[in-house]
Amino acid sequence: MECLICLGELAQPNSSKGGFHACSTCFKVFHMPCIREWASSAVAHKTGAGVDSANPNSFRCPGCQCPQAVQSLDNERCFCGKQPFEAVQFNPSIDSAFAFNSCGNTCGRVRNKVQDSVSDSFEQCPHPCTAVCHMGPCEQCARFASKTCHCGKMIYQTRCGSYAPRKTCDSVCGKLRSCGAHSCDKQCHAGDCSPCTVAVQSTCFCRCTQEDKLCGSGIWSNENGEMIQKFACISTCNKQLSCGNHFCTETCHPGECAPCKQLPSAVKTCPCGSQSLSSMGVVRYVCTDPIPTCNSVCDKLLVCGHHCLNACHALDEACRCVGKKILSCDCGKSNSDILCLEFVQNTKVHVKCNSLCKTLRNCGKHQCATRCCVLKGDSSSHECPLPCNKLLQCGNHRCSAPCHSGYCGRCLEASFDEISCNCGDMRLIPPIPCGTSLSVTCAKRCALPPGPCGHANDHPCHSGPCPPCTYPVEILCIRGHQSRSFPCSQEVQTFSCNLPCGQKLQNCQHCCQMPCHEHDGFVHEQSPCNQPCSRPITACTHGHKCKSVCRHNGWCSGVAKEPGVASQCLMLLSVTCDCGAL
């Protein structure tokens, strides 16, 4: 380890070179001569690199720049500060790189404060450090201390130097709320209790109204031994003033009413204030004595900005302006003249023109169409009051939100009935969002009994009736030529394989050449045979066969044209001459 100032090694020093100095904040160790030179150097005091402007009797640590007292450098002492450096004797039994600056006694320094993570308050550990004189911060206290939960009903043991947050118990908090009348009914918690939510019957200050108000929202008052919460209503106080002749004209208020405004001590001039009563030769003794008026103009400044042009009048008589005030309409497109009397009586006068707002609302579909719109051309603030009414993705409900741009949100309806597959292995636990498919499928085989065919179910679990049976069944064709596989549900009895029938015709020597078909005697017996005769011609010595159409009459034109008449072959032959030239 090296000194941050001289960058020299922090080795065991001689008594002539001085000891060490450890910063009380970052605990960096410096040579004592180096840190003294740092604190007293002209650079540190003039440029502000090592001096604290708020406290000139301190200097900044070269490591952490935190202020340190100059007095800490006056005496060279051990780390715990109990013995001077000259009296420190090196103890090789102390396992530390800076054992030569340790006095070997118990440290005894006050430990750092422990911060409560919930309330951000600091608690001072009452136990001093029990380790041998050492450099750096003291270790956390290992002793146990009693602490309470947030409500104070549970006591538990924890480490004194622990930074763990305070525990909460299972009891009711029970602390008095801010209202001062009810206690907190929540479970033990951190921080302040929530505001009181109890509604109590409250009376206004002027005693003309009674309402149920939240406890703590008013002012509690003790009247004849009974605590009553009071509040200010909007009515006139109307309490009798201390003069006994007039009543309070202010709005309902707490506390005592103001003194009468017509007392002789309060009224020194005429109502308009232009002349004093003494100059007018009038002396008033009680508040009921009349206040004289002068012949001047009232000239009081009115709410409308004009001055009262009436003659000086009594205090209970209101000033009236006969002028007009120019006001702009709400949209600012036109101006109107309004009597100041109407403006004074109602300061929230709104002038409406007949101009219709043509700005698109925030939905981007409908125009505002409001007469004298105060929102002007800002489309984002023109909220559309029409319902959206678009069909949601669930396909069952429509959007109930105000008309808007973009896609509608998801349907908020839900079913609270559990849905399961037929075998009960797969379930949909409620709430089930609207639009969810009500058919639940699982990977197991159908557990229903086989159908009338007797074949086992080979399809997955399903809801409703089973699908048609697909078990393959071997079926022989009509004439028995070949067999094919058909689903059991098709209930095929037989089929045509489209091969020649092959059955012997009764009236000729040929076989049926029609595609495989049902046996029909009429077809085989009555239908004319259109196949070639193919019988050998009796008169032909070349072995030609008859090519005429089979007659089904028992005789052939190639064999005998008529009974008893010799047949002749009509086939052409290739004949050559004896020399072979032709």
Side-chain angles (χ1 to χ4, degrees):
M1 186 177 292
E2 60 185 14
C3 175
L4 293 181
I5 299 176
C6 67
L7 301 180
E9 184 179 357
L10 294 171
Q12 181 176 353
N14 298 324
S15 59
S16 60
K17 293 184 179 180
F20 298 96
H21 173 76
C23 176
S24 60
T25 303
C26 65
F27 302 101
K28 294 289 185 181
V29 182
F30 309 94
H31 290 131
M32 182 61 75
C34 297
I35 194 65
R36 283 178 176 173
E37 183 180 0
W38 169 268
S40 61
S41 64
V43 176
H45 286 281
K46 291 182 179 180
T47 61
V51 69
D52 188 5
S53 59
N55 188 4
N57 293 325
S58 64
F59 66 95
R60 292 184 182 180
C61 171
C64 62
Q65 294 296 312
C66 293
Q68 305 289 325
V70 177
Q71 291 80 2
S72 63
L73 304 178
D74 293 343
N75 298 321
E76 302 175 10
R77 309 188 72 83
C78 62
F79 290 119
C80 67
K82 294 181 179 178
Q83 292 187 10
F85 176 71
E86 292 79 5
V88 175
Q89 296 181 358
F90 175 69
N91 188 358
S93 63
I94 301 177
D95 186 15
S96 174
F98 296 93
F100 43 79
N101 203 50
S102 174
C103 65
N105 298 324
T106 303
C107 176
R109 287 185 290 179
V110 179
R111 302 178 189 271
N112 294 333
K113 294 182 180 180
V114 180
Q115 183 179 11
D116 191 342
S117 59
V118 176
S119 61
D120 289 335
S121 61
F122 290 86
E123 298 179 0
Q124 182 69 54
C125 174
H127 309 115
C129 180
T130 57
V132 179
C133 177
H134 61 88
M135 67 167 292
C138 298
E139 296 181 354
Q140 291 185 2
C141 184
R143 296 188 182 185
F144 283 90
S146 297
K147 288 188 177 182
T148 59
C149 62
H150 295 287
C151 68
K153 297 180 181 179
M154 182 182 71
I155 302 176
Y156 63 95
Q157 299 292 325
T158 183
R159 295 272 185 185
C160 180
S162 175
Y163 287 88
R166 188 171 296 181
K167 294 183 179 181
T168 57
C169 65
D170 296 332
S171 304
V172 178
C173 176
K175 292 181 181 179
L176 199 63
R177 296 182 186 268
S178 58
C179 64
H182 302 95
S183 58
C184 179
D185 56 354
K186 293 185 178 180
Q187 186 181 353
C188 177
H189 59 87
D192 298 332
C193 299
S194 58
C196 186
T197 57
V198 179
V200 295
Q201 189 175 18
S202 305
T203 305
C204 68
F205 296 106
C206 63
R207 296 182 175 275
C208 65
T209 306
Q210 286 188 346
E211 295 181 3
D212 289 337
K213 297 282 188 178
L214 289 178
C215 182
S217 61
I219 300 175
W220 287 93
S221 175
N222 189 352
E223 295 186 359
N224 299 327
E226 182 181 1
M227 296 299 295
I228 299 176
Q229 181 174 245
K230 292 190 174 183
F231 67 98
C233 66
I234 59 175
S235 302
T236 304
C237 178
N238 207 27
K239 289 182 182 178
Q240 191 174 24
L241 300 179
S242 58
C243 65
N245 301 317
H246 299 95
F247 296 90
C248 181
T249 57
E250 296 181 1
T251 308
C252 180
H253 59 87
E256 298 293 334
C257 297
C260 180
K261 296 181 180 180
Q262 299 187 29
L263 290 174
S265 60
V267 180
K268 300 294 184 180
T269 63
C270 66
C272 69
S274 60
Q275 296 185 21
S276 62
L277 297 183
S278 59
S279 63
M280 298 174 67
V282 177
V283 179
R284 298 179 67 248
Y285 298 98
V286 292
C287 61
T288 54
D289 290 343
I291 301 175
T293 59
C294 65
N295 297 324
S296 302
V297 178
C298 178
D299 201 36
K300 289 182 180 179
L301 184 64
L302 304 179
V303 181
C304 62
H306 299 141
H307 292 267
C308 180
L309 301 180
N310 298 327
C312 180
H313 52 81
L315 293 176
D316 55 354
E317 183 181 349
C319 296
R320 298 198 175 198
C321 182
V322 296
K324 293 184 178 181
K325 194 173 185 66
I326 300 176
L327 293 179
S328 299
C329 64
D330 292 340
C331 67
K333 294 182 179 180
S334 61
N335 298 326
S336 298
D337 294 336
I338 293 182
L339 292 176
C340 283
L341 177 62
E342 182 181 353
F343 182 78
V344 171
Q345 293 176 349
N346 184 11
T347 56
K348 296 183 179 179
V349 176
H350 292 280
V351 179
K352 296 285 186 179
C353 67
N354 295 323
S355 177
L356 297 179
C357 180
K358 297 182 179 180
T359 305
L360 282 178
R361 291 172 173 162
N362 57 357
C363 63
K365 304 174 184 177
H366 307 109
Q367 286 186 350
C368 177
T370 303
R371 186 172 70 89
C372 193
C373 180
V374 296
L375 300 177
K376 300 182 180 179
D378 188 7
S379 60
S380 60
S381 58
H382 284 71
E383 296 184 359
C384 186
L386 301 176
C388 176
N389 206 31
K390 288 182 181 178
L391 189 66
L392 299 177
Q393 293 182 354
C394 65
N396 302 322
H397 304 95
R398 294 186 176 274
C399 180
S400 59
C403 187
H404 57 86
S405 60
Y407 294 101
C408 299
R410 64 181 183 89
C411 182
L412 300 180
E413 299 292 334
S415 173
F416 292 90
D417 297 330
E418 183 178 293
I419 301 176
S420 63
C421 63
N422 195 26
C423 66
D425 185 64
M426 297 291 293
R427 300 173 184 269
L428 291 179
I429 305 299
I432 302 173
C434 181
T436 305
S437 177
L438 300 181
S439 60
V440 182
T441 57
C442 65
K444 290 188 176 182
R445 297 289 181 185
C446 178
L448 296 177
C453 62
H455 298 134
N457 294 327
D458 196 26
H459 49 266
C461 178
H462 60 89
S463 59
C466 291
C469 180
T470 58
Y471 189 84
V473 179
E474 292 290 332
I475 304 295
L476 199 64
C477 71
I478 299 173
R479 305 304 303 166
H481 300 139
Q482 57 179 319
S483 62
R484 294 181 185 174
S485 295
F486 290 91
C488 173
S489 59
Q490 292 187 4
E491 298 180 356
V492 177
Q493 301 297 330
T494 184
F495 70 96
S496 174
C497 64
N498 293 326
L499 294 177
C501 175
Q503 184 176 352
K504 181 71 172 61
L505 298 177
Q506 295 183 4
N507 295 331
C508 64
Q509 77 278 10
H510 299 119
C511 295
C512 181
Q513 297 298 317
M514 296 177 63
C516 180
H517 60 87
E518 294 281 352
H519 177 68
D520 191 350
F522 175 80
V523 172
H524 289 160
E525 295 176 2
Q526 302 299 331
S527 297
C529 180
N530 295 323
Q531 302 179 41
C533 179
S534 301
R535 295 182 184 180
I537 300 175
T538 55
C540 179
T541 59
H542 297 282
H544 296 141
K545 295 182 180 181
C546 180
K547 294 185 177 181
S548 300
V549 179
C550 182
R551 301 291 184 180
H552 269 198
N553 52 9
W555 58 273
C556 178
S557 61
V559 177
K561 187 176 293 186
E562 293 180 3
V565 178
S567 61
Q568 58 181 347
C569 180
L570 300 179
M571 297 294 293
L572 298 177
L573 297 175
S574 296
V575 180
T576 59
C577 61
D578 294 338
C579 66
L582 292 175

